[in-house]
């Protein structure tokens, strides 16, 4: 699973505001079209969710899965939020990250994602599904933060 999809967008808001939207998992169904339900399962007391369960309906990929999060961010909100798959029915792997960097008065968000599924799927179709997920997520995040 060495292949991954990567894309970036600049959001007209400081990194801390972008980080707040990313960390507010329970609100994802309000703005992330493919996410139907979210539950925070574990938090280590640092204020950041560590394990989160998602129910996803992204057309070709429908699943309920749990992700484990790492929060390597500093006080102003810049840094990296990364995740890896803990469990799922359809997904075999889902590793990704958001990198938040200051960009003038805004924030450059880079989203990296690698997905693998248990059912046979041509690599080209997997990359296309990743691209749709990444591009949609970045556009929806930008729209939510700037609203």
């Amino acid at each position: 699973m060495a292949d991954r999809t990567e894309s970036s967008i600049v959001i007209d808001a400081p990194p801390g505001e972008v980080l707040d939207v990313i960390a507010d998992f329970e609100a994802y169904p309000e703005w992330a079209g493919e996410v139907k339900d979210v539950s925070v399962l574990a938090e280590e007391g640092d204020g950041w969710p560590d394990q989160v369960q998602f129910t996803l309906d992204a057309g070709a990929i429908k699943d309920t899965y749990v992700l484990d999060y790492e929060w390597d961010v500093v006080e102003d909100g810049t840094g990296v939020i990364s995740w890896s798959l803990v469990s799922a029915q359809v997904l075999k792997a889902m590793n990704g990250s958001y990198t938040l960097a200051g960009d003038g008065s805004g924030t450059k968000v880079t989203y990296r994602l690698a997905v693998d599924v248990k059912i046979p799927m041509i690599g080209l179709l997997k990359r296309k599904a990743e691209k749709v997920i990444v591009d949609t997520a970045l556009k929806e995040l930008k729209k939510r933060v700037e609203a």
Side-chain angles (χ1 to χ4, degrees):
M1 203 183 81
D3 290 336
R4 71 172 185 206
T5 299
E6 178 178 320
S7 190
S8 297
I9 198 166
V10 175
I11 297 176
D12 189 23
E17 287 181 27
V18 177
L19 179 63
D20 288 346
V21 171
I22 291 170
D24 186 8
F25 291 107
E26 283 93 351
Y28 277 37
E30 297 171 14
W31 61 271
E34 294 87 13
V35 178
K36 302 306 175 196
D37 189 51
V38 180
S39 300
V40 173
L41 304 178
E43 196 179 282
E44 288 179 4
D46 57 5
W48 302 112
D50 292 304
Q51 285 202 344
V52 182
Q53 179 178 290
F54 295 85
T55 301
L56 179 78
D57 185 348
I61 300 173
K62 293 176 174 50
D63 203 358
T64 296
Y65 56 92
V66 176
L67 297 179
D68 188 60
Y69 280 83
E70 294 292 326
W71 301 85
D72 187 14
V73 291
V74 294
E75 199 170 311
D76 70 355
T78 59
V80 180
I81 302 106
S82 57
W83 58 88
S84 57
L85 187 69
V86 175
S87 64
Q89 281 78 50
V90 176
L91 296 168
K92 184 164 48 172
M94 179 185 260
N95 301 309
S97 66
Y98 282 113
T99 301
L100 307 182
D103 187 272
S105 63
T107 305
K108 181 178 180 185
V109 180
T110 302
Y111 187 178
R112 294 174 182 90
L113 183 68
V115 175
D116 202 1
V117 291
K118 293 177 183 173
I119 54 173
M121 187 182 278
I122 298 168
L124 183 66
L125 287 177
K126 271 192 275 198
R127 296 292 88 72
K128 184 173 166 120
E130 284 175 3
K131 180 151 183 46
V132 168
I133 291 168
V134 167
D135 289 347
T136 302
L138 285 173
K139 286 177 192 151
E140 290 176 338
L141 176 65
K142 178 178 175 71
K143 194 166 139 186
R144 176 72 173 199
V145 173
E146 292 180 355

